[in-house]
Amino acid sequence: MKIKAIITSIALLTSMTFTAPVVQAADELYVPIPSYRVGPYAVGGTGYFGGILDYYNLLNMRDGGVNGMKLVWSECETEYSVERGVECYKRLKDNKGGAVFFDPLSVGISTALIETGRKDKMPIIAVNHGKTAGQRGDVFPYYFMPGINTYDEHSIMMHFIGDVLEGDRSKLKGKKIAMLFHGSPYGREAIMFMDMMCKKHGCEHTAIEVPHPGNEQQSQWLKIRKMKPDYVLLRGWGVMNPVAMQTAVRTGFSVGRLIGNIWSNSDGDVIPAGDAAEGYYAITTHPAGRVAKVIDDIVATVYKAGKGDLADKSRIGSVYWNLGVLAGVFHTEALKTAQDRFGPKVNSAQVRWGFENLRLDKSALDALGATGLVPEINITCMDHVGGHLAKFQQWDAGKRQWKVASDWIEGDVALSQAIIDEGAEKYAADNGIKKRDCNNEEDRDNFDLYSSVFVVLKGDIYLSPFFLSSIQGNTWVLIPSSFNSFKSFFEAIP
């Protein structure tokens, strides 16, 4: 009984927090912005990060931040370079008391940071892209790809060709499909899956690489003219996209049979192509235009005050800017989810839990004013994507606007999951990673949040019911894991 009393006293004493010096202000949350505002991919970078910052400013100016916590940030120019992106991560991750997540909008950068994020307990965010096996949160706990993944994207594109353009999916049989892809890790991610899609549907797939940055494609399109494909899938980025449309027209290929992927679907991709872009189709998870109340709120609150990020206000409502606003919603709703459990001041490990429990249904989107822009999403331990649906839009060059060309289309989830599982299992085996058990409450809900405390009594080791938990990155508290474990522990002590 004396031992129990001593331990109880220690537990009560150590449940009081002890704090190291704080660099970050108590009412701030720091988000690094690894942008690319210069170079051949600047149209994507300025739009995406501009939309994010405009949404952050809306919350700061209108709501006082996120549950009373002001969002603060600093930028680092990556120029879409993996080396620069990793350097920016190292430079920014510990700023202002520590970042809460890192979103570089780059397959190469986000993939290069997978294990670094795991080590640093830092969520790495890749909206609508990324290493596809990363969907498995049991293997990749700190890697999130909210929206759709690469396999969703390309199976949806194939379903669109079959169901909408050909009138029946069975008509994919015998079709020749070329994929013109950007010469980068992002571009190559879809090759194997497209081979499997065509094996399943009886079509023929040919992958054709366009070296970075993609402003010279004559040899690739001469190859396409020789092979005479029925459709060409454009897996492009930046300057590669309008050049593809212009070169297609010059070589006699109908742009109406050129289908763009999620990073070939913006105003900045089609406007520079001029009339060559007429009739071009592209997949999208979010429509272009001022399609939601939240966009009007940003204009009325942020731009009216002269605080908007876009120098060219005509880009408000553009595809990449809207995607940035969508990402800002994902970011901040994950922060709120974490705050609901841990309190307003959250660290990166707690925000990881927030992303893994992010749920946005219609009522939540209505309340945010985001209905019409942001899709419903349900991220779980085993599914770090949470969306898997997309629509198509077609460009009207005369009116210089997109029009919706399909309803929501679902990808081949069964085929995708089989490849994702194979890739995730191989990654875990190759890297010696112990998978989490997503069916186990402790492994699912308390993963990486606590460090167990062991007590040694009379030569025996007891697992204490208390956990050492980081509250603010540099503030720690000893708390009980559950009443049952607390009770079992004390009953076990002689």
Side-chain angles (χ1 to χ4, degrees):
M1 289 300 295
K2 184 178 289 187
I3 291 173
K4 291 183 180 181
I6 291 171
I7 292 173
T8 302
S9 299
I10 292 172
L12 290 172
L13 212 61
T14 53
S15 67
M16 300 168 62
T17 61
F18 55 95
T19 309
V22 179
V23 178
Q24 187 177 7
D27 61 349
E28 292 179 349
L29 294 173
Y30 172 68
V31 181
I33 302 295
S35 61
Y36 38 98
R37 295 182 181 271
V38 298
Y41 309 111
V43 66
T46 54
Y48 182 76
F49 293 104
I52 287 174
L53 294 182
D54 284 341
Y55 187 71
Y56 289 179
N57 269 321
L58 172 67
L59 298 188
N60 282 344
M61 295 169 70
R62 184 190 65 191
D63 306 337
V66 181
N67 286 327
M69 307 298 290
K70 280 290 183 78
L71 297 170
V72 296
W73 55 85
S74 54
E75 288 198 46
C76 183
E77 176 64 47
T78 72
E79 296 186 19
Y80 196 67
S81 158
V82 173
E83 293 76 16
R84 286 177 179 266
V86 172
E87 180 186 333
C88 285
Y89 172 82
K90 293 176 180 177
R91 187 186 306 169
L92 300 180
K93 69 184 178 72
D94 296 320
N95 273 11
K96 298 181 181 294
V100 288
F101 58 83
F102 192 80
D103 180 350
L105 191 67
S106 161
V107 172
I109 298 171
S110 68
T111 302
L113 291 172
I114 286 174
E115 291 308 314
T116 304
R118 187 194 306 268
K119 176 177 66 71
D120 293 343
K121 298 187 178 183
M122 181 69 68
I124 306 298
I125 312 303
V127 177
N128 282 348
H129 67 286
K131 182 179 179 66
T132 312
Q135 178 175 313
R136 281 270 299 269
D138 60 333
V139 177
F140 299 90
Y142 280 92
Y143 196 61
F144 293 89
M145 305 178 292
I148 62 174
N149 63 41
T150 297
Y151 301 160
D152 292 330
E153 177 185 12
H154 279 265
S155 58
I156 292 170
M157 292 167 79
M158 292 293 287
H159 291 171
F160 173 69
I161 291 172
D163 297 348
V164 179
L165 299 184
E166 292 292 329
D168 192 279
R169 198 172 300 181
S170 65
K171 293 183 180 179
L172 287 172
K173 186 174 182 178
K175 291 289 187 289
K176 288 184 179 180
I177 310 291
M179 182 176 72
L180 198 65
F181 70 92
H182 186 270
S184 64
Y186 144 73
R188 299 182 189 97
E189 179 78 9
I191 295 174
M192 179 186 70
F193 183 76
M194 280 301 303
D195 288 341
M196 297 185 72
M197 279 294 289
C198 271
K199 182 178 179 181
K200 176 175 179 177
H201 293 286
C203 50
E204 177 185 329
H205 171 239
T206 302
I208 302 171
E209 180 171 350
V210 175
H212 161 83
N215 53 356
E216 175 50 57
Q217 300 178 31
Q218 193 64 31
S219 64
Q220 288 85 358
W221 281 96
L222 288 175
K223 183 176 181 178
I224 289 170
R225 184 169 70 178
K226 185 176 180 180
M227 69 176 286
K228 298 180 180 178
D230 296 286
Y231 295 94
V232 174
L233 305 186
L234 178 59
R235 188 169 178 79
W237 187 222
V239 68
M240 175 180 163
N241 294 322
V243 171
M245 298 170 212
Q246 291 167 332
T247 314
V249 170
R250 284 201 300 270
T251 55
F253 188 85
S254 170
V255 172
R257 293 188 288 127
L258 179 65
I259 317 295
N261 82 324
I262 202 74
W263 303 112
S264 308
N265 72 352
S266 80
D267 313 64
D269 297 318
V270 289
I271 290 174
D275 291 341
E278 174 64 30
Y280 170 74
Y281 289 104
I283 191 173
T284 186
T285 56
H286 55 284
R290 299 190 182 189
V291 295
K293 180 181 179 296
V294 67
I295 297 176
D296 295 332
D297 292 344
I298 289 171
V299 172
T301 302
V302 180
Y303 280 86
K304 187 176 181 180
K307 302 289 187 181
D309 191 78
L310 294 178
D312 179 1
K313 295 184 180 64
S314 71
R315 295 183 67 196
I316 295 170
S318 63
V319 171
Y320 285 137
W321 186 85
N322 279 8
L323 179 62
V325 175
L326 177 150
V329 171
F330 287 163
H331 295 166
T332 54
E333 291 307 301
L335 290 177
K336 291 177 187 176
T337 301
Q339 289 173 325
D340 287 344
R341 179 178 179 186
F342 303 105
K345 189 70 169 180
V346 287
N347 62 32
S348 59
Q350 293 164 341
V351 173
R352 187 213 70 80
W353 184 90
F355 274 103
E356 193 167 272
N357 290 273
L358 178 61
R359 316 277 189 270
L360 292 175
D361 58 14
K362 186 179 183 303
S363 62
L365 295 173
D366 286 345
L368 293 167
T371 301
L373 173 67
V374 179
E376 294 187 27
I377 195 164
N378 181 19
I379 295 178
T380 67
C381 179
M382 284 295 285
D383 183 2
H384 277 195
V385 173
H388 310 290
L389 296 169
K391 293 184 178 184
F392 282 80
Q393 57 189 11
Q394 187 175 33
W395 181 248
D396 185 325
K399 295 181 179 178
R400 289 168 63 96
Q401 68 182 28
W402 292 101
K403 58 183 179 182
V404 176
S406 80
D407 202 344
W408 290 107
I409 299 174
E410 186 176 17
D412 192 331
V413 176
L415 181 61
S416 298
Q417 193 64 53
I419 306 170
I420 288 166
D421 289 343
E422 181 181 350
E425 295 292 340
K426 184 178 187 303
Y427 188 93
D430 290 348
N431 293 276
I433 293 168
K434 183 181 182 296
K435 293 182 295 182
R436 301 159 60 200
D437 181 356
C438 288
N439 293 317
N440 178 283
E441 181 181 358
E442 202 65 35
D443 223 12
R444 182 184 67 243
D445 293 335
N446 293 327
F447 173 76
D448 240 9
L449 292 170
Y450 310 114
S451 299
S452 298
V453 177
F454 292 88
V455 176
V456 180
L457 296 172
K458 297 180 180 180
D460 294 323
I461 298 176
Y462 296 86
L463 177 61
S464 165
F466 303 102
F467 293 95
L468 193 61
S469 172
S470 170
I471 299 301
Q472 295 181 8
N474 51 11
T475 300
W476 297 82
V477 61
L478 201 63
I479 62 174
S481 62
S482 69
F483 173 77
N484 287 336
S485 61
F486 184 90
K487 180 173 178 287
S488 299
F489 170 73
F490 274 81
E491 288 175 348
I493 297 176

